Amino acid sequence: MTFRSLIAAAIAPLFAALLAGPAHADVLIENVDGIRIDEDGDLDRFTALWVDDDGTIIEVLDKGDKRPERPTYLSDMEGRVIVPGMIDAHLHVMGIGFGALTLDLSQTNSLEEALALIAEFAQANPGRPWILGRGWNQEKWGLGRFPTAEELDSAVSDRPVFLERVDGHAGWANSRAIEMAEITGKTKDPAGGRIERDASGAPSGVFVDAAAELVQKVVPAPRPVDRDAALYEAQNILLSQGITAVADMGTTLLDWQTYRRAGDSGRLRMRIMSYAAGIEDMEVIGGTGPTPWLYEDRLRLNGVKLYLDGALGSRGAWLKAPYTDDADNTGLPLLTDTQLRNKMSRAAMENYQVAVHAIGDAANAEALAAIEELSESYRGDRRWRIEHAQIVDPADIERFGKYGIIASVQPVHQTSDRLMAEARLGPERLPGAYPWASLKDAGARLALGSDAPVERAAPFVGMAVAMTRIDGDGMPPGGWMARERLSRMAAWRGFTADAAFAGFAEGRFGRLVEGERADFVVIDRDIARASPQAIRETRVLETWIAGKQVYRRGD
Amino acid sequence: MTFRSLIAAAIAPLFAALLAGPAHADVLIENVDGIRIDEDGDLDRFTALWVDDDGTIIEVLDKGDKRPERPTYLSDMEGRVIVPGMIDAHLHVMGIGFGALTLDLSQTNSLEEALALIAEFAQANPGRPWILGRGWNQEKWGLGRFPTAEELDSAVSDRPVFLERVDGHAGWANSRAIEMAEITGKTKDPAGGRIERDASGAPSGVFVDAAAELVQKVVPAPRPVDRDAALYEAQNILLSQGITAVADMGTTLLDWQTYRRAGDSGRLRMRIMSYAAGIEDMEVIGGTGPTPWLYEDRLRLNGVKLYLDGALGSRGAWLKAPYTDDADNTGLPLLTDTQLRNKMSRAAMENYQVAVHAIGDAANAEALAAIEELSESYRGDRRWRIEHAQIVDPADIERFGKYGIIASVQPVHQTSDRLMAEARLGPERLPGAYPWASLKDAGARLALGSDAPVERAAPFVGMAVAMTRIDGDGMPPGGWMARERLSRMAAWRGFTADAAFAGFAEGRFGRLVEGERADFVVIDRDIARASPQAIRETRVLETWIAGKQVYRRGD
């Protein structure tokens, strides 16, 4: 074999790609009322998108601009508004999917209403060995206490029932489930968890944080086919909301395998930036480091999600001072400072991105301290993420400005939690509650999300709340702690370009600019001009990913 | 958006592919002395291969045939012999790779020689906390007994040592390793395993089958980076032997993740047909069924590997009658008949392929019985595989002819085991030992392999042995149980087309025919004419996969 032909054979594929270039099938998406944030971060209007056959944008065109000679395809958008695909920077894909397949209690307003719904669901699903669901919130019910196993037995007693609290930080079991889990008055509280007990010390039905595991471990695991169905549901839900990419916060190995099955068989439609559910999952999924971007920028393991504390509702959030409505309780850290630093080091040393769940002010201070220490050894563009950053001691806020820290916050939590947060924290701590504008002013980059299924994945609602801190009922007038509101552009970027940056996806998707993927949404109004209230009511008509329609309202 | 443009956008990618067609970069591999088995299974000669840019064969051309007008590339092979890439139907990819990274005792001819090599390796690797290796064979050493921990201590006593027997069915530990594993005289034999003991009942150093786990579980697991290195070594070794595809028998989840890391980053050069190391690995890797063919036919999870018994050398093979050289021992089944059927059903019900390891005649009879029963419920093209099919009761041989059973045999085992097999089985059972021709005559399809790293992955040696049943020293003259020899064509097909068929890969690779991948080997002789002895000495000059050179002798 000659040297020339050796070389030739070696570079053949490369050359083939070049040759294939001219033969691509491009699409001109024409006659749009396009609104985007341009390369300089400014608001920009355009009337057409010219998209290559791999779904990347060749050119963004305005009225006067010359169109391509003869594009292979033309899509007439009939003058409708299109904006960049929305990105949710913090949610749980499989949780959304399984939520759609299980009982949803999030809309119930009283214990009675919930019990009726549970009994009805059990009757409607005689085949199910376990009744599973989520979304209950004793605060919303105005119960003033946790519900009990006995109350749940009154709805279903023939089968085990286990229902996750709205924040995912507590579970409510009936007596059958507690029996099967062999939990008795003698069972000790596990580290990082609490078993709610009656006067006699017997489990009363609710299991907080790590204690929920005691019941979860006897719940039969879903089969792969169930997981595939859940992912299908989750994608339908998210695409219908105009979400084209998400950060999946806590991907287990089995979740990951579900995403790969979908990717391998062309059923992965949206983009998932994945954060493993712990160091073990991270290692077995990514091995030597983050995966490459897979399936044309549809999937990547970015790093790991670590839980430093629980949630405010279940008083699992770790506070510097006791809860105002529970004088002996400051919540609890789920990791010692050594454990946190060891886990962060193991991830950082292999260039995984680290996302630390921190809700209480003590947890946020500890997460900041760990980042400050590790940044000495692990330099470069790390994009340390603090997830939630909900209650921050004002004295700590400026610390978010260093080391390129990303504050990943969920606007709608603020409106849902408002009254509960006031009760838990008391007035003196409220200045540090959901301090979005302060974090941004301090120099943190804000990535915005929903924490779905904890809250609905509804980015236009999230954008409106970020701009107003007013809930769906218009409460409170003027907005809660109004000086922490974000500007329209900041809120919009938080759900698009900045959410992409927070997942190392800039240059791939998140903005409608040349060279990035043509992910966009057709909506029914001009969100650059609409009032926050109008933005909240935005209807998604179509969702497009990589220049192809993946959702259409009414289909 | 108009209906037309909707459709247009939807079919754009499809159409793009068609358009891209004419622009492909094809390669004409010219001036070859090509030998292949054609569509009809006949020997055929050709002088050129015309290959598309995706590595599939456009046309196989002979002297007179018209060449393409102007191929993008021309590879002049200067008249050398090329044959289809060899396929090894049974080996252990990661075992080969780790073998290359650990101590290899397979060439030692005495205990003394082995001990010297071990001591030398330990001194050469002061950093390693454990000394690991494989390949020892007390039979080959003429020891007539297992070696002991004390003997191993004389070579290395400062660090734990654990060495796998050549057949992988026993492990040899030194005292330090036994201490660390906390195995004492009180430790009971685990199910499916045996602890070799001294007169006092204390562990004497060798742990058979499941008992090896007692030591293995304290050996630190390799890191992902070690696994990547092992896969790199394995590919180099296999490609240098002219092997372009393999069946990996016993893929663990971590092995699979290693293959995916390689595939995702373009480092998977050869083709792997994977069989999971058990039902659990099968479920977590494949989920709802076999994976699609990934990375342009380079990786697929086909099914599951089940171990029904052990090996002949360590007397773990399950025989109908006791071992001739161990009157109280018939070996042992590693699964009850219910366990075997349950596992096979779980796999078959999701359309996974089942490969059952069966060496002894009792194990083969039981595997056949299970296949016969399950074939009632699981019809269609199942390609049940029996791995090894080494010792078969002549009365059972015809049962291989039904239900499309594949006998996956390893020719070189016969020559390595010959004297040991005679001792274990006695003359009356030899007619059923390694009964290749009888299995083929019964209607079984033979897939040939090496079981590397148990034996060297050397397909041309395997082909020669399959044709002669004569070992490297020419023993025995005329061949052992010569009527079980295979024809040249049968042996060749067993290492190519039939090995591909055994892994559901027909139509993708295994033959040099139009539409299959251009996987071939440049060798230094005409194996269609050469004597078996000459075939055994075949030298691989180059290995090509999908029309691209991936190995070149001397590089």
Side-chain angles (χ1 to χ4, degrees), chain A residues 1 5-6 8 15 19 23 73-74 76 78 224 228 253 257 260 264 283-284 288 544 549 552, chain B residues 1 5-6 8 15 19 23 73-74 76 78 224 228 253 257 260 264 284 288 544 549 552:
Chain A
M1 179 172 195
S5 56
L6 242 176
F15 193 36
L19 285 175
Y73 300 108
L74 181 73
D76 179 354
E78 297 163 346
D228 292 346
L253 171 65
Q257 293 294 79
R260 290 225 70 156
D264 290 339
E283 277 287 338
V284 69
T288 49
W544 291 57
Q549 191 189 57
R552 188 185 190 189
Chain B
M1 179 172 195
S5 56
L6 243 176
F15 193 34
L19 285 175
Y73 300 108
L74 181 73
D76 179 355
E78 297 164 346
D228 293 345
L253 171 64
Q257 292 296 79
R260 290 225 71 155
D264 291 338
V284 69
T288 50
W544 291 57
Q549 189 189 58
R552 188 185 189 187

Tab-separated table of all heavy atoms in Angstrom, chain A residues 1 5-6 8 15 19 23 73-74 76 78 224 228 253 257 260 264 283-284 288 544 549 552, chain B residues 1 5-6 8 15 19 23 73-74 76 78 224 228 253 257 260 264 284 288 544 549 552:
chain	number	residue	atom	x	y	z
A	1	MET	N	0.857	-1.206	0.000
A	1	MET	CA	0.000	0.000	0.000
A	1	MET	C	0.886	1.247	0.000
A	1	MET	O	1.820	1.348	0.779
A	1	MET	CB	-0.860	-0.023	1.264
A	1	MET	CG	-1.775	1.181	1.395
A	1	MET	SD	-2.877	0.888	2.791
A	1	MET	CE	-4.093	2.131	2.496
A	5	SER	N	-1.840	6.571	-0.522
A	5	SER	CA	-3.165	5.960	-0.388
A	5	SER	C	-3.476	5.682	1.094
A	5	SER	O	-4.618	5.763	1.523
A	5	SER	CB	-3.212	4.647	-1.170
A	5	SER	OG	-2.172	3.791	-0.737
A	6	LEU	N	-2.411	5.417	1.873
A	6	LEU	CA	-2.594	5.238	3.322
A	6	LEU	C	-3.207	6.504	3.906
A	6	LEU	O	-4.253	6.484	4.550
A	6	LEU	CB	-1.226	5.015	3.984
A	6	LEU	CG	-1.005	3.689	4.699
A	6	LEU	CD1	0.416	3.591	5.196
A	6	LEU	CD2	-2.012	3.511	5.815
A	8	ALA	N	-4.652	8.879	2.326
A	8	ALA	CA	-5.968	9.093	1.705
A	8	ALA	C	-7.045	8.344	2.479
A	8	ALA	O	-8.047	8.915	2.894
A	8	ALA	CB	-5.923	8.619	0.266
A	15	PHE	N	-12.644	14.315	4.713
A	15	PHE	CA	-12.870	14.903	3.404
A	15	PHE	C	-14.317	14.732	2.982
A	15	PHE	O	-14.960	15.641	2.466
A	15	PHE	CB	-11.928	14.244	2.385
A	15	PHE	CG	-11.845	14.969	1.082
A	15	PHE	CD1	-11.896	16.366	1.051
A	15	PHE	CD2	-11.724	14.282	-0.125
A	15	PHE	CE1	-11.820	17.052	-0.147
A	15	PHE	CE2	-11.638	14.963	-1.324
A	15	PHE	CZ	-11.696	16.353	-1.342
A	19	LEU	N	-16.995	17.441	1.491
A	19	LEU	CA	-17.722	17.257	0.233
A	19	LEU	C	-19.225	17.324	0.466
A	19	LEU	O	-19.963	17.915	-0.295
A	19	LEU	CB	-17.356	15.899	-0.378
A	19	LEU	CG	-15.979	15.818	-1.037
A	19	LEU	CD1	-15.701	14.391	-1.479
A	19	LEU	CD2	-15.912	16.774	-2.228
A	23	ALA	N	-24.205	19.772	-0.138
A	23	ALA	CA	-25.422	19.011	-0.419
A	23	ALA	C	-26.420	19.057	0.740
A	23	ALA	O	-27.401	18.361	0.727
A	23	ALA	CB	-25.062	17.564	-0.709
A	73	TYR	N	-35.738	24.143	2.027
A	73	TYR	CA	-37.100	24.201	2.568
A	73	TYR	C	-37.425	25.585	3.079
A	73	TYR	O	-36.527	26.321	3.483
A	73	TYR	CB	-37.261	23.196	3.722
A	73	TYR	CG	-37.016	21.807	3.274
A	73	TYR	CD1	-35.865	21.141	3.665
A	73	TYR	CD2	-37.890	21.181	2.405
A	73	TYR	CE1	-35.607	19.863	3.219
A	73	TYR	CE2	-37.642	19.905	1.949
A	73	TYR	CZ	-36.499	19.253	2.356
A	73	TYR	OH	-36.243	18.007	1.896
A	74	LEU	N	-38.707	25.914	3.063
A	74	LEU	CA	-39.165	27.199	3.570
A	74	LEU	C	-40.279	26.933	4.584
A	74	LEU	O	-41.196	26.158	4.318
A	74	LEU	CB	-39.716	28.052	2.429
A	74	LEU	CG	-40.201	29.435	2.833
A	74	LEU	CD1	-39.021	30.343	3.155
A	74	LEU	CD2	-41.043	30.041	1.717
A	76	ASP	N	-43.011	28.979	6.590
A	76	ASP	CA	-43.659	30.282	6.766
A	76	ASP	C	-44.317	30.325	8.139
A	76	ASP	O	-45.262	29.584	8.403
A	76	ASP	CB	-44.700	30.478	5.665
A	76	ASP	CG	-45.425	31.812	5.820
A	76	ASP	OD1	-45.195	32.511	6.833
A	76	ASP	OD2	-46.223	32.146	4.919
A	78	GLU	N	-45.847	32.819	9.426
A	78	GLU	CA	-47.047	33.684	9.399
A	78	GLU	C	-47.011	34.797	10.439
A	78	GLU	O	-48.014	35.096	11.083
A	78	GLU	CB	-48.296	32.814	9.557
A	78	GLU	CG	-48.436	31.833	8.383
A	78	GLU	CD	-49.389	30.672	8.662
A	78	GLU	OE1	-49.742	30.457	9.831
A	78	GLU	OE2	-49.761	29.987	7.704
A	224	PRO	N	-37.609	-0.991	33.718
A	224	PRO	CA	-37.125	-0.116	32.650
A	224	PRO	C	-38.256	0.398	31.760
A	224	PRO	O	-38.270	1.572	31.382
A	224	PRO	CB	-36.177	-1.026	31.871
A	224	PRO	CG	-35.680	-2.009	32.879
A	224	PRO	CD	-36.836	-2.250	33.803
A	228	ASP	N	-39.056	4.254	30.812
A	228	ASP	CA	-39.180	4.801	29.457
A	228	ASP	C	-40.493	5.568	29.317
A	228	ASP	O	-40.530	6.657	28.737
A	228	ASP	CB	-39.113	3.671	28.419
A	228	ASP	CG	-37.730	3.022	28.360
A	228	ASP	OD1	-36.769	3.602	28.920
A	228	ASP	OD2	-37.603	1.934	27.774
A	253	LEU	N	-28.053	6.293	38.098
A	253	LEU	CA	-27.586	5.452	36.996
A	253	LEU	C	-28.766	4.970	36.160
A	253	LEU	O	-28.719	4.981	34.932
A	253	LEU	CB	-26.803	4.252	37.542
A	253	LEU	CG	-26.443	3.195	36.494
A	253	LEU	CD1	-25.490	3.766	35.458
A	253	LEU	CD2	-25.842	1.975	37.165
A	257	GLN	N	-29.456	5.567	32.228
A	257	GLN	CA	-29.659	4.490	31.250
A	257	GLN	C	-30.954	4.728	30.479
A	257	GLN	O	-31.045	4.416	29.287
A	257	GLN	CB	-29.693	3.130	31.945
A	257	GLN	CG	-28.357	2.721	32.559
A	257	GLN	CD	-27.288	2.486	31.520
A	257	GLN	OE1	-26.689	3.439	30.984
A	257	GLN	NE2	-27.041	1.243	31.174
A	260	ARG	N	-30.173	7.256	27.902
A	260	ARG	CA	-29.372	6.676	26.812
A	260	ARG	C	-30.230	5.786	25.931
A	260	ARG	O	-30.080	5.792	24.709
A	260	ARG	CB	-28.178	5.914	27.376
A	260	ARG	CG	-27.152	6.862	27.987
A	260	ARG	CD	-25.729	6.568	27.619
A	260	ARG	NE	-25.414	6.843	26.238
A	260	ARG	CZ	-24.175	7.102	25.794
A	260	ARG	NH1	-23.157	7.152	26.643
A	260	ARG	NH2	-23.943	7.313	24.530
A	264	ASP	N	-30.274	6.519	22.136
A	264	ASP	CA	-29.824	5.487	21.190
A	264	ASP	C	-30.900	5.174	20.151
A	264	ASP	O	-30.590	4.763	19.043
A	264	ASP	CB	-29.468	4.197	21.940
A	264	ASP	CG	-28.202	4.348	22.786
A	264	ASP	OD1	-27.400	5.258	22.503
A	264	ASP	OD2	-28.028	3.557	23.746
A	283	GLU	N	-19.441	8.525	39.245
A	283	GLU	CA	-18.303	7.698	38.821
A	283	GLU	C	-18.723	6.634	37.811
A	283	GLU	O	-18.060	6.418	36.806
A	283	GLU	CB	-17.676	7.008	40.034
A	283	GLU	CG	-16.687	7.872	40.803
A	283	GLU	CD	-15.376	8.045	40.037
A	283	GLU	OE1	-15.072	7.205	39.172
A	283	GLU	OE2	-14.686	9.039	40.317
A	284	VAL	N	-19.866	5.986	38.085
A	284	VAL	CA	-20.244	4.872	37.217
A	284	VAL	C	-20.792	5.398	35.887
A	284	VAL	O	-20.615	4.764	34.842
A	284	VAL	CB	-21.242	3.924	37.915
A	284	VAL	CG1	-22.584	4.579	38.099
A	284	VAL	CG2	-21.377	2.630	37.142
A	288	THR	N	-14.178	8.657	33.931
A	288	THR	CA	-13.003	9.515	34.115
A	288	THR	C	-13.321	11.009	34.086
A	288	THR	O	-12.416	11.815	34.210
A	288	THR	CB	-11.989	9.226	33.001
A	288	THR	OG1	-12.708	9.262	31.753
A	288	THR	CG2	-11.397	7.840	33.167
A	544	TRP	N	-39.760	24.171	18.910
A	544	TRP	CA	-38.838	23.660	17.890
A	544	TRP	C	-37.470	23.406	18.517
A	544	TRP	O	-36.973	24.209	19.300
A	544	TRP	CB	-38.679	24.667	16.755
A	544	TRP	CG	-39.901	24.860	15.894
A	544	TRP	CD1	-41.156	25.240	16.292
A	544	TRP	CD2	-39.959	24.692	14.472
A	544	TRP	NE1	-41.989	25.322	15.213
A	544	TRP	CE2	-41.291	24.996	14.071
A	544	TRP	CE3	-39.032	24.324	13.502
A	544	TRP	CZ2	-41.705	24.930	12.744
A	544	TRP	CZ3	-39.440	24.279	12.171
A	544	TRP	CH2	-40.773	24.565	11.810
A	549	GLN	N	-39.831	20.976	14.407
A	549	GLN	CA	-40.940	21.117	15.338
A	549	GLN	C	-41.091	19.836	16.156
A	549	GLN	O	-41.168	18.746	15.599
A	549	GLN	CB	-42.229	21.379	14.559
A	549	GLN	CG	-43.385	21.794	15.439
A	549	GLN	CD	-44.688	21.829	14.669
A	549	GLN	OE1	-45.098	20.824	14.089
A	549	GLN	NE2	-45.310	23.000	14.631
A	552	ARG	N	-46.644	20.894	19.099
A	552	ARG	CA	-47.577	21.843	18.502
A	552	ARG	C	-48.840	21.817	19.340
A	552	ARG	O	-49.409	20.750	19.576
A	552	ARG	CB	-47.877	21.425	17.068
A	552	ARG	CG	-48.694	22.443	16.303
A	552	ARG	CD	-49.031	21.876	14.941
A	552	ARG	NE	-49.620	22.875	14.064
A	552	ARG	CZ	-50.157	22.594	12.878
A	552	ARG	NH1	-50.158	21.352	12.443
A	552	ARG	NH2	-50.681	23.554	12.137
B	1	MET	N	-48.109	28.475	9.904
B	1	MET	CA	-47.195	27.610	9.139
B	1	MET	C	-48.012	26.729	8.191
B	1	MET	O	-48.989	26.118	8.599
B	1	MET	CB	-46.431	26.727	10.122
B	1	MET	CG	-45.466	25.780	9.468
B	1	MET	SD	-44.505	24.991	10.757
B	1	MET	CE	-43.174	24.306	9.778
B	5	SER	N	-44.996	23.230	4.355
B	5	SER	CA	-43.705	23.542	4.976
B	5	SER	C	-43.522	22.708	6.245
B	5	SER	O	-42.413	22.324	6.595
B	5	SER	CB	-43.653	25.033	5.336
B	5	SER	OG	-44.738	25.376	6.158
B	6	LEU	N	-44.622	22.367	6.904
B	6	LEU	CA	-44.548	21.490	8.074
B	6	LEU	C	-43.923	20.149	7.673
B	6	LEU	O	-42.932	19.703	8.216
B	6	LEU	CB	-45.962	21.231	8.611
B	6	LEU	CG	-46.272	21.723	10.016
B	6	LEU	CD1	-47.730	21.479	10.350
B	6	LEU	CD2	-45.370	21.018	11.022
B	8	ALA	N	-42.310	19.512	4.997
B	8	ALA	CA	-40.947	19.744	4.495
B	8	ALA	C	-39.950	19.737	5.649
B	8	ALA	O	-38.965	19.001	5.636
B	8	ALA	CB	-40.892	21.089	3.770
B	15	PHE	N	-34.276	13.772	3.541
B	15	PHE	CA	-33.931	14.268	2.211
B	15	PHE	C	-32.459	14.669	2.170
B	15	PHE	O	-31.747	14.380	1.217
B	15	PHE	CB	-34.836	15.460	1.868
B	15	PHE	CG	-34.787	15.853	0.419
B	15	PHE	CD1	-34.626	14.887	-0.569
B	15	PHE	CD2	-34.898	17.181	0.035
B	15	PHE	CE1	-34.575	15.244	-1.915
B	15	PHE	CE2	-34.851	17.550	-1.311
B	15	PHE	CZ	-34.689	16.574	-2.292
B	19	LEU	N	-29.564	13.719	-0.600
B	19	LEU	CA	-28.757	14.727	-1.297
B	19	LEU	C	-27.273	14.487	-1.051
B	19	LEU	O	-26.444	14.587	-1.932
B	19	LEU	CB	-29.140	16.128	-0.806
B	19	LEU	CG	-30.472	16.671	-1.341
B	19	LEU	CD1	-30.811	17.996	-0.688
B	19	LEU	CD2	-30.410	16.824	-2.861
B	23	ALA	N	-22.191	12.977	-2.806
B	23	ALA	CA	-20.973	13.650	-2.366
B	23	ALA	C	-20.087	12.745	-1.494
B	23	ALA	O	-19.122	13.212	-0.944
B	23	ALA	CB	-21.334	14.900	-1.572
B	73	TYR	N	-10.842	7.863	-3.445
B	73	TYR	CA	-9.527	7.398	-2.995
B	73	TYR	C	-9.223	6.043	-3.569
B	73	TYR	O	-10.125	5.265	-3.877
B	73	TYR	CB	-9.482	7.313	-1.458
B	73	TYR	CG	-9.735	8.648	-0.831
B	73	TYR	CD1	-10.939	8.913	-0.177
B	73	TYR	CD2	-8.798	9.676	-0.947
B	73	TYR	CE1	-11.194	10.147	0.372
B	73	TYR	CE2	-9.050	10.917	-0.408
B	73	TYR	CZ	-10.239	11.152	0.245
B	73	TYR	OH	-10.499	12.382	0.763
B	74	LEU	N	-7.927	5.783	-3.699
B	74	LEU	CA	-7.469	4.491	-4.195
B	74	LEU	C	-6.443	3.945	-3.209
B	74	LEU	O	-5.539	4.665	-2.796
B	74	LEU	CB	-6.833	4.659	-5.576
B	74	LEU	CG	-6.324	3.358	-6.205
B	74	LEU	CD1	-7.486	2.504	-6.669
B	74	LEU	CD2	-5.391	3.672	-7.380
B	76	ASP	N	-3.826	0.979	-3.029
B	76	ASP	CA	-3.165	-0.097	-3.755
B	76	ASP	C	-2.612	-1.109	-2.755
B	76	ASP	O	-1.704	-0.799	-1.988
B	76	ASP	CB	-2.034	0.484	-4.604
B	76	ASP	CG	-1.289	-0.607	-5.368
B	76	ASP	OD1	-1.596	-1.804	-5.153
B	76	ASP	OD2	-0.405	-0.255	-6.174
B	78	GLU	N	-1.111	-3.864	-3.474
B	78	GLU	CA	0.110	-4.496	-4.015
B	78	GLU	C	0.037	-6.023	-4.055
B	78	GLU	O	0.981	-6.723	-3.724
B	78	GLU	CB	1.319	-4.019	-3.202
B	78	GLU	CG	1.521	-2.509	-3.345
B	78	GLU	CD	2.445	-1.900	-2.286
B	78	GLU	OE1	2.723	-2.588	-1.283
B	78	GLU	OE2	2.851	-0.746	-2.470
B	224	PRO	N	-12.048	3.815	36.806
B	224	PRO	CA	-12.426	3.953	35.392
B	224	PRO	C	-11.217	4.158	34.478
B	224	PRO	O	-11.153	3.587	33.389
B	224	PRO	CB	-13.326	5.180	35.402
B	224	PRO	CG	-13.938	5.201	36.760
B	224	PRO	CD	-12.858	4.674	37.681
B	228	ASP	N	-10.240	2.022	31.181
B	228	ASP	CA	-9.996	2.561	29.838
B	228	ASP	C	-8.658	2.053	29.299
B	228	ASP	O	-8.548	1.684	28.130
B	228	ASP	CB	-10.016	4.095	29.871
B	228	ASP	CG	-11.398	4.659	30.183
B	228	ASP	OD1	-12.387	3.895	30.099
B	228	ASP	OD2	-11.507	5.859	30.535
B	253	LEU	N	-21.680	-4.143	34.194
B	253	LEU	CA	-22.087	-2.756	33.946
B	253	LEU	C	-20.857	-1.866	33.768
B	253	LEU	O	-20.810	-1.024	32.874
B	253	LEU	CB	-22.936	-2.239	35.113
B	253	LEU	CG	-23.235	-0.743	35.070
B	253	LEU	CD1	-24.082	-0.394	33.859
B	253	LEU	CD2	-23.935	-0.299	36.350
B	257	GLN	N	-19.877	0.425	30.595
B	257	GLN	CA	-19.630	1.868	30.651
B	257	GLN	C	-18.271	2.181	30.027
B	257	GLN	O	-18.101	3.232	29.402
B	257	GLN	CB	-19.685	2.363	32.097
B	257	GLN	CG	-21.081	2.290	32.720
B	257	GLN	CD	-22.078	3.195	32.038
B	257	GLN	OE1	-22.602	2.874	30.973
B	257	GLN	NE2	-22.341	4.338	32.622
B	260	ARG	N	-18.799	2.176	26.363
B	260	ARG	CA	-19.530	3.374	25.933
B	260	ARG	C	-18.629	4.601	25.977
B	260	ARG	O	-18.684	5.443	25.085
B	260	ARG	CB	-20.782	3.572	26.781
B	260	ARG	CG	-21.826	2.507	26.466
B	260	ARG	CD	-23.213	3.040	26.305
B	260	ARG	NE	-23.412	3.805	25.112
B	260	ARG	CZ	-24.610	3.963	24.529
B	260	ARG	NH1	-25.687	3.386	25.039
B	260	ARG	NH2	-24.740	4.693	23.459
B	264	ASP	N	-18.279	6.715	22.757
B	264	ASP	CA	-18.675	8.136	22.764
B	264	ASP	C	-17.537	9.042	22.316
B	264	ASP	O	-17.768	10.126	21.792
B	264	ASP	CB	-19.127	8.556	24.163
B	264	ASP	CG	-20.452	7.905	24.577
B	264	ASP	OD1	-21.212	7.483	23.673
B	264	ASP	OD2	-20.720	7.814	25.785
B	284	VAL	N	-29.858	-3.648	33.770
B	284	VAL	CA	-29.435	-2.258	33.943
B	284	VAL	C	-28.781	-1.727	32.673
B	284	VAL	O	-28.903	-0.546	32.350
B	284	VAL	CB	-28.508	-2.096	35.169
B	284	VAL	CG1	-27.174	-2.734	34.953
B	284	VAL	CG2	-28.348	-0.632	35.530
B	288	THR	N	-35.149	-2.518	28.514
B	288	THR	CA	-36.312	-3.224	27.979
B	288	THR	C	-35.954	-4.287	26.942
B	288	THR	O	-36.847	-4.937	26.414
B	288	THR	CB	-37.249	-2.213	27.304
B	288	THR	OG1	-36.454	-1.416	26.423
B	288	THR	CG2	-37.887	-1.304	28.335
B	544	TRP	N	-8.123	-4.052	8.896
B	544	TRP	CA	-8.978	-2.942	8.460
B	544	TRP	C	-10.389	-3.140	8.984
B	544	TRP	O	-10.912	-4.259	8.950
B	544	TRP	CB	-9.021	-2.872	6.931
B	544	TRP	CG	-7.739	-2.446	6.275
B	544	TRP	CD1	-6.511	-3.022	6.398
B	544	TRP	CD2	-7.573	-1.336	5.380
B	544	TRP	NE1	-5.582	-2.353	5.644
B	544	TRP	CE2	-6.207	-1.313	4.991
B	544	TRP	CE3	-8.441	-0.375	4.857
B	544	TRP	CZ2	-5.697	-0.355	4.116
B	544	TRP	CZ3	-7.937	0.584	3.983
B	544	TRP	CH2	-6.570	0.591	3.626
B	549	GLN	N	-7.781	1.371	7.885
B	549	GLN	CA	-6.750	0.588	8.542
B	549	GLN	C	-6.688	0.930	10.031
B	549	GLN	O	-6.593	2.099	10.395
B	549	GLN	CB	-5.397	0.889	7.893
B	549	GLN	CG	-4.298	-0.038	8.368
B	549	GLN	CD	-2.938	0.418	7.869
B	549	GLN	OE1	-2.522	1.538	8.149
B	549	GLN	NE2	-2.289	-0.432	7.115
B	552	ARG	N	-1.360	-2.068	11.794
B	552	ARG	CA	-0.353	-2.360	10.778
B	552	ARG	C	0.849	-2.977	11.478
B	552	ARG	O	1.362	-2.401	12.452
B	552	ARG	CB	0.046	-1.079	10.064
B	552	ARG	CG	0.943	-1.300	8.872
B	552	ARG	CD	1.384	0.045	8.318
B	552	ARG	NE	2.081	-0.084	7.059
B	552	ARG	CZ	2.677	0.923	6.447
B	552	ARG	NH1	2.659	2.125	6.989
B	552	ARG	NH2	3.296	0.739	5.302
